[in-house]
Amino acid sequence: MTAQRLKIGCAGLGRMGKRHALNFLERTPRAELVAASSPDPVELEWAKTHLEPFGVRLYQNYDDMLKHEGLVAVVVASATAVHAEQAIKAIEADKHVLCEKPISTSVEVSQSVIDAAAKKPHLKVMCGFSRRFDKSYRDAYQKMQSGAIGTASVLRSQTCDKLDPSGFFVAYAEFSGGIFVDCSIHDIDLTLWFFGDDCKVKSVSAVGITAVEPDLRKHNDRDNAVGLVEFYDGRMAFFYASRMMAAGQEDVTEIIGTKGKLAVNTQPALNHVNIYDESGLRREIPQTYYDRFEYAFVTEANEFSAACLDNTALPIDLNNAVKAVRIGAALQESMITQKKIFFDEDGNRSELARL
């Protein structure tokens, strides 16, 4: 008897969509990539070479893909602007959904996905925060949970991309939601994970600069930004995001407790090779986010498939996706307005806290 496999379709075949498609095609034994869609002719040409020969049906229209016979689940890896719309359509078509982060750059639109999922509780709907599937972060979380550093009190985390001189980030900023929603969303989600889903934000404040891309300002964005989040229980989180790292991708997190500290990736390395040459001793570091978290994405695909097939709990609460966007959007607003933003204990904006 052949073991059951999750028949899944991939929406979007851009940089991230290609990775998801190939992971489900080649590296997820319990899944079967049966369909893929993209409105982009260039992306479909790629798919004709890399997906179609392996039995994957290609669609130019996402709605048509949802009608693919036997389709059970969808990974939404298209442009951020259509994440929510495509996720909701998949839910309404009774499909499980793995959606790339963020669900939307808008809190209200993100909530609409939560509301749609609530009407179909038998479906598995997950926002893919990749760092939760990384071995190092999982090890740090388990150590924290075991009491290795006492009470976690401060989290300091950064997402720093390698400098792209092509101007990609300027064009992308029009749709990304800004550096905090796009970059720091990972660090925000880590904070919700390590501090607990029930942690309550008291205030956020942020500053930013355009060190290498002044044109980002026309989209109310910056290429370097720092954010501070205070919680009602006294803990705090500090975020740094950058688009201009010279050496490569630098994603670092420190969880500081009352009895010690856990640090993840403070000395980035592409592998275990050290280079000894006329410049001294050095090592290469990952050049892209995917270089660093490739295997986390594979783990994500496999665990999502298992949850759908076995009807087990997902490793991430979908509500956290909205919380992360709410915090990221508030940080972006604080950076632009240069004002500290306060929240009451129910998560609503509060003017009284300014008094």
Side-chain angles (χ1 to χ4, degrees):
M1 181 177 176
T2 304
Q4 185 182 11
R5 300 176 73 193
L6 183 72
K7 293 188 176 182
I8 191 166
C10 182
L13 294 170
R15 182 169 52 184
M16 189 54 68
K18 290 181 175 71
R19 293 163 177 167
H20 279 292
L22 291 175
N23 280 341
F24 277 105
L25 179 68
E26 303 170 348
R27 307 168 81 177
T28 313
R30 298 190 68 188
E32 179 184 359
L33 185 71
V34 296
S37 71
S38 172
D40 187 333
V42 175
E43 293 179 5
L44 287 176
E45 280 301 314
W46 174 89
K48 287 178 181 178
T49 300
H50 296 90
L51 303 180
E52 195 172 47
F54 301 96
V56 180
R57 177 77 180 273
L58 304 181
Y59 296 88
Q60 188 172 22
N61 186 282
Y62 173 72
D63 293 347
D64 291 338
M65 187 188 76
L66 288 179
K67 299 173 185 176
H68 183 91
E69 185 177 357
L71 188 72
V72 174
V74 173
V75 53
V76 176
S78 43
T80 301
V82 296
H83 280 181
E85 175 189 346
Q86 291 189 339
I88 290 171
K89 283 184 175 182
I91 293 167
E92 291 175 345
D94 220 37
K95 313 299 180 188
H96 303 294
V97 179
L98 168 58
C99 183
E100 254 302 317
K101 68 81 194 168
I103 293 180
S104 169
T105 59
S106 159
V107 174
E108 292 74 22
V109 176
S110 298
Q111 184 61 47
S112 69
V113 178
I114 305 289
D115 296 340
K119 296 175 182 177
K120 298 283 188 81
H122 62 288
L123 294 178
K124 305 296 179 181
V125 182
M126 185 174 86
C127 184
F129 287 103
S130 50
R131 292 185 204 181
R132 292 204 188 207
F133 299 90
D134 178 70
K135 286 185 178 180
S136 296
Y137 278 105
R138 285 185 167 184
D139 184 45
Y141 180 78
Q142 291 301 325
K143 284 180 168 58
M144 182 201 70
Q145 288 290 90
S146 71
I149 59 169
T151 302
S153 305
V154 178
L155 188 141
R156 180 167 54 197
S157 195
Q158 70 177 49
T159 298
C160 297
D161 295 326
K162 182 178 174 64
L163 176 65
D164 183 347
S166 71
F168 165 79
F169 288 122
V170 175
Y172 180 54
E174 184 177 356
F175 312 102
S176 71
I179 195 166
F180 283 111
V181 175
D182 182 52
C183 273
S184 296
I185 200 81
H186 288 290
D187 308 291
I188 295 166
D189 178 67
L190 286 174
T191 305
L192 296 175
W193 185 25
F194 279 84
F195 281 2
D197 293 342
D198 57 348
C199 60
K200 298 179 179 180
V201 175
K202 182 178 181 180
S203 72
V204 306
S205 56
V207 294
I209 60 171
T210 49
V212 294
E213 294 285 5
D215 286 345
L216 282 168
R217 287 183 174 269
K218 67 185 179 185
H219 299 303
N220 280 335
D221 205 8
R222 308 290 187 266
D223 51 33
N224 285 264
V226 170
L228 180 65
V229 180
E230 296 178 278
F231 295 89
Y232 269 97
D233 60 11
R235 292 182 292 182
M236 60 183 179
F238 171 92
F239 306 130
Y240 170 47
S242 177
R243 302 290 200 187
M244 66 171 201
M245 292 296 103
Q249 190 77 21
E250 293 185 47
D251 301 322
V252 178
T253 302
E254 293 176 293
I255 306 98
I256 303 161
T258 54
K259 295 181 180 180
K261 178 177 78 170
L262 295 165
V264 181
N265 204 43
T266 51
Q267 297 183 25
L270 183 64
N271 52 39
H272 298 293
V273 176
N274 288 328
I275 303 166
Y276 299 77
D277 58 20
E278 66 276 5
S279 66
L281 171 62
R282 60 187 174 86
R283 60 171 174 260
E284 296 173 328
I285 72 173
Q287 296 299 289
T288 69
Y289 186 87
Y290 194 71
D291 287 341
R292 166 65 180 87
F293 292 104
E294 176 182 356
Y295 294 100
F297 282 97
V298 175
T299 301
E300 176 185 88
N302 280 274
E303 292 190 5
F304 174 74
S305 298
C308 293
L309 292 169
D310 301 334
N311 194 27
T312 53
L314 290 166
I316 303 177
D317 183 347
L318 187 61
N319 287 288
N320 278 342
V322 179
K323 293 179 184 178
V325 172
R326 180 178 288 111
I327 295 170
L331 284 165
Q332 192 77 14
E333 181 183 340
S334 174
M335 179 182 70
I336 300 304
T337 62
Q338 299 184 338
K339 294 180 180 179
K340 193 172 186 177
I341 297 173
F342 295 87
F343 295 87
D344 63 25
E345 292 195 58
D346 294 322
N348 302 308
R349 293 280 284 267
S350 171
E351 297 298 326
L352 293 177
R354 299 179 185 273
L355 300 179

